[in-house]
Amino acid sequence: MQKQSRTLVVNCAALSPELIADASLTPNLAALAGRGGLRRLQPTFPAVTCSVQASMLTGRPPAEHGIVGNGFYLRDLAEVRMWEQPAYLLDAPYAWTQLQNRPTVAMLFWQNSMFAPVDIMLTPKPMHAESGLILDCYGRPASLYADLKARLGEFPLQHYWGPMSGLPATRWIASATAEVWRNQRPDICLTYLPLMDYNTQRCGPSLEHKAVADDLAALDVMVGELASMVNEDGGRLVVLSEYGLTAVSRAVALNRVLREAGLLAVRELAGREYLDAGASRAFALVDHQVAHIYLPGRQQGRATGAEAAATAARVVELLSAVDGVAEVLDQSGMQAAGINHRRSGDLVCVSQPGAWFSYYWWLDDAAAPDFARTVDIHNKPGYDPVELFVDRATRNIPLDDSLVRGSHGRAGPGEASGIYLDTHPPRAIGDKPDVAAVNVAELLGLA
């Protein structure tokens, strides 16, 4: 790697070209666009956080790096895992590890950063103890979070996800980024500002909603402050996002369809129904507008080849007929989409525009599992944006998937994309209007 200016990469979740089209609303981002040009970032499929971040930093599609979504099904344990953080999950190396002269890299709040080959990292890692939740962040060096907490106070986890998600968490991360930039002085600093990911899902990705416009204005100020800091240091600033959101008006509960067809199994415990993934003939691990459909009966000879093929054909026919489902990808379709990996479902569902997939499988809300009314990102077998809402009467998460107004994941032609803004665009970028996610590492000088 040739010696170059230090680089700060600010990943602004859910920031689309449409949101920053009016320069009067985002003067700082507009100024940066004037310096480096604004390009659309085309995400890999699926256009979800973990998958696209891994593609940007490895230069590979999900079929090669293995992060096929924000979660996946562990077939040998018959368990779903969501939002797992270790970098060990990647089947492809982070791009900078292949460089002869490896840069000093910092990763702040990016996914799959725990135990990553970086010099500096920080990610939320609370611990569930008998006394309750212990708020903490996992960092390298080990003293990093304690040092930042002494300066900035405790990381406000309750504002990072859940009904209280909002500005305080993003402001804390921006301040922590400035501290790391100035004091640790990495060659490349990757940071993540999640603010726009909240109200765009609650309200929809339109500036007609005051909450979205207010968030955008606050984000623009923070980006401007970071830009001034980098400029004073003679550095390079890249602002990007993995995806943009599209408006949605209906939720599709694929697991209810599979259950009513006798394909999904549940266990009853204390009057509540829990997914019995290993005993199911088919179930859906939903992830925004994409769902991995697993057919556990195919495993370890529990179904003959003919039986497994018949189940797969039945599921394709069943789900293809569901209003809100655009297509069901088989193995050849998954290969064409760049998502054919051992962790992927046996089939993959893609929603129609305006629709997204909820994880619900119960037919009566009284039988919903206890975690359904809580913020519990690891136990729910699928992504649940309804956790952004609260029933003020009960102080619980409502069981109403019709509340959600913005989603993403399809990454098809004409779908909302992310952005790529670079104050020092390399020659390789040329006059291209688009940047592919798999080319980001190279553009950053990391490959």
Side-chain angles (χ1 to χ4, degrees), residues 310-321 328-330 347:
T311 298
R314 183 183 176 194
V315 171
V316 170
E317 181 180 14
L318 181 69
L319 297 185
S320 296
V328 182
L329 304 179
D330 58 12
L347 304 164

Side-chain angles (χ1 to χ4, degrees), residues 260-342:
E260 289 174 334
L263 297 168
L264 181 144
V266 298
R267 293 182 64 206
E268 284 195 29
L269 297 171
R272 299 180 183 274
E273 297 173 348
Y274 296 82
L275 173 67
D276 192 350
S280 295
R281 293 169 63 194
F283 76 92
L285 192 167
V286 302
D287 201 354
H288 297 275
Q289 294 180 308
V290 177
H292 289 266
I293 311 300
Y294 292 94
L295 311 177
R298 286 185 166 192
Q299 293 173 246
Q300 298 180 354
R302 290 200 296 126
T304 65
E307 290 171 337
T311 298
R314 183 183 176 194
V315 171
V316 170
E317 181 180 14
L318 181 69
L319 297 185
S320 296
V322 173
D323 184 28
V325 174
E327 57 183 332
V328 182
L329 304 179
D330 58 12
Q331 290 299 310
S332 62
M334 290 161 60
Q335 184 172 1
I339 198 176
N340 54 314
H341 186 270
R342 57 186 167 79

Side-chain angles (χ1 to χ4, degrees), residues 359-420:
Y359 77 96
Y360 299 171
W361 58 78
W362 54 92
L363 307 179
D364 181 346
D365 283 353
D370 55 357
F371 56 66
R373 293 181 171 86
T374 68
V375 176
D376 196 342
I377 65 172
H378 296 297
N379 274 327
K380 294 179 181 178
Y383 174 70
D384 184 16
V386 185
E387 290 186 348
L388 290 167
F389 300 86
V390 65
D391 182 336
R392 297 189 181 280
T394 63
R395 301 179 67 84
N396 291 330
I397 304 302
L399 301 182
D400 184 0
D401 53 15
S402 69
L403 293 169
V404 177
R405 286 291 175 263
S407 191
H408 57 92
R410 288 170 42 85
E415 291 297 315
S417 71
I419 68 165
Y420 184 91

Side-chain angles (χ1 to χ4, degrees), residues 158-168 195 198-199 202 387-388:
Q158 71 273 25
H159 296 288
Y160 188 63
W161 184 250
M164 296 176 65
S165 299
L167 181 57
L195 180 60
Y198 307 137
N199 282 320
R202 292 183 181 114
E387 290 186 348
L388 290 167

Side-chain angles (χ1 to χ4, degrees), residues 128-170:
H128 294 269
E130 187 175 348
S131 58
L133 190 68
I134 301 174
L135 301 181
D136 194 24
C137 290
Y138 189 94
R140 180 184 300 151
S143 62
L144 178 60
Y145 178 57
D147 294 342
L148 290 170
K149 185 164 66 171
R151 296 187 182 96
L152 308 175
E154 191 167 62
F155 174 66
L157 182 67
Q158 71 273 25
H159 296 288
Y160 188 63
W161 184 250
M164 296 176 65
S165 299
L167 181 57
T170 298

Side-chain angles (χ1 to χ4, degrees), residues 114-289:
M114 284 185 67
F115 320 117
V118 296
D119 306 274
I120 304 148
M121 62 81 54
L122 194 69
T123 193
K125 189 63 176 176
M127 180 177 292
H128 294 269
E130 187 175 348
S131 58
L133 190 68
I134 301 174
L135 301 181
D136 194 24
C137 290
Y138 189 94
R140 180 184 300 151
S143 62
L144 178 60
Y145 178 57
D147 294 342
L148 290 170
K149 185 164 66 171
R151 296 187 182 96
L152 308 175
E154 191 167 62
F155 174 66
L157 182 67
Q158 71 273 25
H159 296 288
Y160 188 63
W161 184 250
M164 296 176 65
S165 299
L167 181 57
T170 298
R171 184 186 290 124
W172 192 98
I173 297 171
S175 297
T177 300
E179 292 283 340
V180 168
W181 177 266
R182 292 184 178 117
N183 300 324
Q184 304 288 332
R185 301 193 63 79
D187 296 319
I188 301 281
C189 182
L190 305 158
T191 194
Y192 176 69
L193 302 184
L195 180 60
M196 295 304 299
D197 214 15
Y198 307 137
N199 282 320
T200 51
Q201 293 186 69
R202 292 183 181 114
C203 308
S206 171
L207 292 173
E208 294 179 359
H209 304 290
K210 184 178 184 301
V212 175
D214 288 347
D215 285 349
L216 183 60
L219 180 70
D220 186 70
V221 170
M222 287 182 283
V223 171
E225 292 170 348
L226 292 173
S228 295
M229 175 190 71
V230 173
N231 188 55
E232 290 172 3
D233 205 38
R236 173 190 181 191
L237 177 69
V238 175
V239 180
L240 52 76
S241 63
E242 308 104 327
Y243 51 78
L245 274 77
T246 56
V248 294
S249 58
R250 66 191 189 279
V252 181
L254 297 176
N255 281 321
R256 284 178 173 162
V257 175
L258 294 171
R259 181 177 181 182
E260 289 174 334
L263 297 168
L264 181 144
V266 298
R267 293 182 64 206
E268 284 195 29
L269 297 171
R272 299 180 183 274
E273 297 173 348
Y274 296 82
L275 173 67
D276 192 350
S280 295
R281 293 169 63 194
F283 76 92
L285 192 167
V286 302
D287 201 354
H288 297 275
Q289 294 180 308

